[in-house]
Amino acid sequence: MKDSRRSFLAKAAALGLASAVPFQIKSKSKSRPLPSLQGRNVLFVYGGWDGHEPLKYKDYMGAWLEEEGANVTFSASLDAYLDKNLMAKTDLILQIYTMSQITNEQEKALLEAVKNGVGIAGWHGGLCDAFRTNVEYQFMTGGQWVAHPGGVIDYTVRVLDTGDELTAGLNDFPMTSEQYYMHVDPNVKVLATTRFGSEINDWIEGCVIPVAWKKGYGKGRVFYTSLGHNLAHITEVPDAIELLKRGIKWASASKYEPMEKWVQPMY
């Protein structure tokens, strides 16, 4: 290819053409209703780096899931993935397990469960900065954290009008949190993006990075949002926490609804 990915994005930013980046294309298709969590069996796996507040998220998300009618099993150990009986009845995995390590056996069991139809959803480093050396796991999630220039800063999230049930009616919103710069699978369906400035790293000025996406892995639905460095950062922004909750509901339906079909590479 004559033009590199970097030069392509730089040209798009310089021209100010949102349509130059394929994952920003608008759609007028009607959105479908969200699945219900009523009766869903959810496995909530938490641990890893304490800075991302896994215990606070366990309490908050656990209470919400139960209010929605889900049956929730909590595990502070990745060994839950080795429990064949538990995994067989699980509809959805929620994981917050930043960094850390996963054994070959644990990873294999997790990947097989998702391939066979268990949904998985997560946020921030709890899903896409977990198990940094496990590339097949990253293939499943669809992205990997690279940096958060400047740490906690002010930035804007752009919600894409894709006709998707996860973004219908949501608006662009400001965030004060970590702005995740990520490496992303080009075949995910991007739901929200953010544009980087040059205050910290001048070479990434104007670069647009996905903030939230949905994808498939085998028969399993995968949802991710990079928001949520800590609980307050996401719960204090109504559209941000709503997007996460919608993604969780969507991912819970892998076993009960057909897999969506889309091929729209972002490059």
Side-chain angles (χ1 to χ4, degrees):
M1 295 177 64
K2 294 181 179 180
D3 292 331
S4 67
R5 171 179 174 270
R6 180 176 295 174
S7 64
F8 172 80
L9 291 172
K11 290 177 182 178
L15 292 172
L17 296 177
S19 61
V21 185
F23 58 72
Q24 292 179 323
I25 291 176
K26 303 289 186 177
S27 170
K28 295 182 180 180
S29 61
K30 293 183 179 180
S31 61
R32 292 162 294 193
L34 283 164
S36 171
L37 287 170
Q38 183 69 41
R40 294 282 199 260
N41 294 316
V42 180
L43 172 60
F44 192 108
V45 180
Y46 64 96
W49 184 56
D50 287 337
H52 283 161
E53 303 183 338
L55 290 176
K56 287 186 178 181
Y57 272 107
K58 169 184 173 288
D59 293 342
Y60 177 87
M61 298 303 297
W64 172 72
L65 289 164
E66 290 173 350
E67 288 175 1
E68 293 287 324
N71 307 309
V72 188
T73 299
F74 297 99
S75 176
S77 171
L78 298 174
D79 281 340
Y81 297 146
L82 299 176
D83 186 332
K84 293 183 179 180
N85 291 329
L86 174 61
M87 297 302 282
K89 69 178 185 180
T90 295
D91 297 311
L92 172 69
I93 296 166
L94 291 184
Q95 178 189 282
I96 176 170
Y97 223 95
T98 306
M99 294 183 281
S100 305
Q101 294 181 333
I102 188 171
T103 67
N104 291 336
E105 293 77 15
Q106 291 166 341
E107 181 190 33
K108 180 180 179 181
L110 170 60
L111 297 176
E112 285 184 351
V114 178
K115 282 183 179 179
N116 289 330
V118 177
I120 186 168
W123 56 93
H124 204 63
L127 191 69
C128 283
D129 187 23
F131 325 135
R132 294 178 178 177
T133 63
N134 294 79
V135 293
E136 183 65 25
Y137 169 84
Q138 294 168 23
F139 191 24
M140 182 264 291
T141 61
Q144 173 63 30
W145 171 82
V146 177
H148 42 69
V152 175
I153 61 172
D154 295 330
Y155 64 97
T156 299
V157 174
R158 182 188 178 202
V159 179
L160 303 188
D161 179 16
T162 62
D164 196 283
E165 65 269 37
L166 272 64
T167 57
L170 299 184
N171 298 308
D172 298 351
F173 52 87
M175 287 294 296
T176 301
S177 189
E178 291 179 341
Q179 186 183 27
Y180 261 20
Y181 195 101
M182 307 191 71
H183 289 167
V184 181
D185 185 331
N187 285 312
V188 301
K189 183 174 183 180
V190 179
L191 304 169
T193 63
T194 188
R195 186 180 294 274
F196 283 76
S198 61
E199 296 82 2
I200 307 301
N201 305 125
D202 59 3
W203 62 89
I204 63 173
E205 182 177 13
C207 186
V208 176
I209 295 288
V211 166
W213 63 77
K214 59 198 295 194
K215 68 181 295 287
Y217 182 78
K219 298 178 181 178
R221 294 182 174 190
V222 181
F223 170 80
Y224 174 75
T225 173
S226 65
L227 307 175
H229 172 63
N230 62 39
L231 183 61
H233 284 189
I234 193 168
T235 56
E236 291 176 358
V237 183
D239 283 336
I241 188 63
E242 177 65 15
L243 179 58
L244 172 57
K245 290 178 176 179
R246 291 183 185 186
I248 289 170
K249 290 180 178 181
W250 174 82
S252 75
S254 293
K255 293 182 177 179
Y256 308 99
E257 296 183 4
M259 178 60 67
E260 296 178 37
K261 295 181 179 179
W262 68 82
V263 179
Q264 188 180 10
M266 65 175 66
Y267 305 129

